[in-house]
Amino acid sequence: MSIKSVVIVCLVAMIPFAVSGQTIKPGRIWKDNRGIHINAHGGCVISHGGKYYWYGEHKSDDTSSAMVGVTCYSSENLVDWTYEGVALPVSDEAGHDIERGCILERPKVVYNEATRRFVMWFHLELKGRGYADARYGVAVSDSPVGPFRFIRSGRVNPGLWPMDMSQADRDVADALDLGKYTEWWTPAWRDAIVKGLFVKRDMRAHDGLPAGQMARDMTIYVDSDGRAYHIYSSEDNLTIQVAELTDDYTAHTGKYVRVAPGDMNEAPAIFKKDGKYWMITSGCTGWDPNEARMFSADNIWGPWLQHPNPCVGPKAEKTFGGQGTYVLHVGNSYIFMADVWRPEYPSDARYIWLPIEFDKGSPVIRWKTEWAPGNM
Ligand code: DGJ
């Protein structure tokens, strides 16, 4: 290839970013076209029809509960965002799954090429029940900006064992007596968790909760072959699970595996680079930041191998004060998106977006006070 062709190829690869001289300033107020701080937390960004769409939780000034719904913004350069409104509004119907005042977190939207529909998944807790229900919610729309139509909420794959537990593993889990493990954090309790104590507990309805695996912090990943996966914090936030979705992306197929059983990971964000899957998670410390964790796998079903924290720079041991939510893959670039939570003033939560660099193939997230997506 001539030098001229190389230059042209590089310029074309950068087109999505090259149109703006504007910069991203992690952790600072980020104003939309109306001059208002963007209100789309725990979210994701998709690229569709030449535009980017950013979806996230609308946060109120004084509560982290969902009083409005999932907001949507659009952009052509990832820096300047236009408010597109509420893509999935909460309901005013008493007892509705997404009744105003429920907890609706970490919405993720994917486009299904076959149905030509946008499918939104999110973590849902029914109104007035704290975090007890641990459900997924799903909604669909014909347009990227909505309105999304709520379809269903529930727990994952009721009655089914994960694929990565053999018949022998299932027999061991089946023999565990939940009543013997009332005290948490003992070595025996942890061993039982790893062996599937809570997997087995949640396969059937119990304590007024429906059958199925718990699903809290989550993301959706569409693989290069078009298959989609729901990746979520399960088993009382002790274990990540990866569950395959149906062709239309609106339900689970029944196939799922466990990742890092008993290790307490949440906030999963996943991407693939050169055939390798990477997953960045956090520990479980509520709204407080903690050290990011990273895993890789050659197959989405595992095995997943843990690596050191990919963050580098001030407060790297606290994910720069944030908690991951998504990795945006555009062209040859990957952007790590995180939230800096402000539980005492939720709408003032901030965003940390940083480019992912690769050192000998391994992701590195280096702190930057300001950067231009055009200069990645
Ligand atoms: C951490 C999670 O990542 C957030 O989405 C939220 O659920 C908070 N915990 C609640 O404490």
Side-chain angles (χ1 to χ4, degrees):
M1 203 186 267
S2 69
I3 289 186
K4 194 172 160 196
S5 326
V6 170
V7 169
I8 290 170
V9 168
C10 290
L11 286 175
V12 168
M14 287 177 64
I15 278 175
F17 298 132
V19 288
S20 168
Q22 303 290 94
T23 55
I24 288 174
K25 302 177 188 73
R28 307 267 287 276
I29 289 285
W30 196 340
K31 291 184 178 169
D32 67 10
N33 60 311
R34 305 165 302 169
I36 301 172
H37 180 48
I38 292 171
N39 199 331
H41 309 276
C44 72
V45 171
I46 65 165
S47 163
H48 186 84
K51 275 193 179 181
Y52 298 103
Y53 294 91
W54 178 352
Y55 305 87
E57 306 159 28
H58 174 278
K59 293 275 192 208
S60 304
D61 294 346
D62 53 5
T63 173
S64 288
S65 296
M67 306 309 288
V68 171
V70 178
T71 48
C72 177
Y73 296 78
S74 67
S75 173
E76 289 179 3
N77 61 16
L78 292 173
V79 177
D80 306 303
W81 292 91
T82 299
Y83 181 61
E84 297 285 358
V86 181
L88 175 69
V90 291
S91 169
D92 277 321
E93 187 188 324
H96 194 286
D97 284 10
I98 57 168
E99 181 180 355
R100 194 182 306 277
C102 66
I103 294 173
L104 195 166
E105 294 181 339
R106 298 183 175 268
K108 302 289 174 281
V109 173
V110 286
Y111 179 67
N112 187 288
E113 298 279 353
T115 62
R116 299 188 175 185
R117 277 180 160 173
F118 297 84
V119 185
M120 180 188 292
W121 285 74
F122 50 90
H123 165 203
L124 178 69
E125 301 289 350
L126 303 179
K127 184 176 177 181
R129 293 175 50 81
Y131 280 85
D133 289 302
R135 293 182 180 212
Y136 71 82
V138 60
V140 293
S141 169
D142 294 327
S143 155
V145 297
F148 280 76
R149 180 172 57 82
F150 175 77
I151 302 183
R152 182 180 74 250
S153 81
R155 285 196 165 188
V156 182
N157 290 327
L160 299 176
W161 288 104
M163 295 193 306
D164 55 351
M165 285 179 73
S166 65
Q167 190 54 53
D169 296 335
R170 297 172 188 191
D171 292 344
V172 168
D174 237 349
L176 294 170
D177 177 0
L178 191 63
K180 282 194 185 150
Y181 301 96
T182 46
E183 191 187 342
W184 283 40
W185 308 118
T186 65
W189 171 86
R190 192 171 182 288
D191 183 58
I193 292 296
V194 172
K195 287 179 173 151
L197 184 70
F198 287 176
V199 175
K200 174 197 160 189
R201 176 197 67 187
D202 295 337
M203 279 170 61
R204 322 227 175 281
H206 65 94
D207 303 320
L209 296 162
Q213 298 298 305
M214 300 174 82
R216 293 202 182 114
D217 280 12
M218 54 139 291
T219 193
I220 299 290
Y221 177 67
V222 179
D223 209 340
S224 36
D225 61 1
R227 272 266 139 245
Y229 300 86
H230 178 204
I231 297 141
Y232 51 97
S233 198
S234 193
E235 304 174 34
D236 273 300
N237 287 3
L238 291 159
T239 301
I240 293 282
Q241 295 184 355
V242 177
E244 187 184 64
L245 298 184
T246 52
D247 290 348
D248 67 0
Y249 301 168
T250 66
H252 299 100
T253 61
K255 289 167 77 173
Y256 74 104
V257 293
R258 305 167 76 211
V259 180
D263 283 352
M264 296 202 79
N265 285 278
E266 58 181 12
I270 183 169
F271 62 101
K272 187 158 83 169
K273 170 102 167 50
D274 300 330
K276 196 179 269 296
Y277 298 86
W278 294 93
M279 191 188 319
I280 298 174
T281 65
S282 74
C284 300
T285 50
W287 299 111
D288 294 333
N290 57 55
E291 185 168 28
R293 294 131 180 233
M294 184 165 71
F295 300 83
S296 71
D298 293 328
N299 187 307
I300 192 127
W301 297 126
W304 288 86
L305 176 75
Q306 189 161 1
H307 300 264
N309 172 11
C311 299
V312 175
K315 290 203 282 176
E317 75 295 346
K318 296 266 186 205
T319 319
F320 316 115
Q323 184 183 31
T325 182
Y326 194 71
V327 171
L328 171 63
H329 176 192
V330 188
N332 295 324
S333 306
Y334 297 80
I335 300 174
F336 175 66
M337 295 168 48
D339 299 280
V340 180
W341 302 116
R342 292 280 307 274
E344 69 290 355
Y345 187 2
S347 61
D348 190 41
R350 307 295 172 86
Y351 310 98
I352 292 180
W353 289 18
L354 292 166
I356 301 181
E357 302 165 18
F358 292 88
D359 180 11
K360 298 191 194 78
S362 202
V364 176
I365 306 170
R366 206 177 298 282
W367 173 255
K368 290 177 170 44
T369 49
E370 183 169 359
W371 62 283
N375 295 339
M376 285 182 71

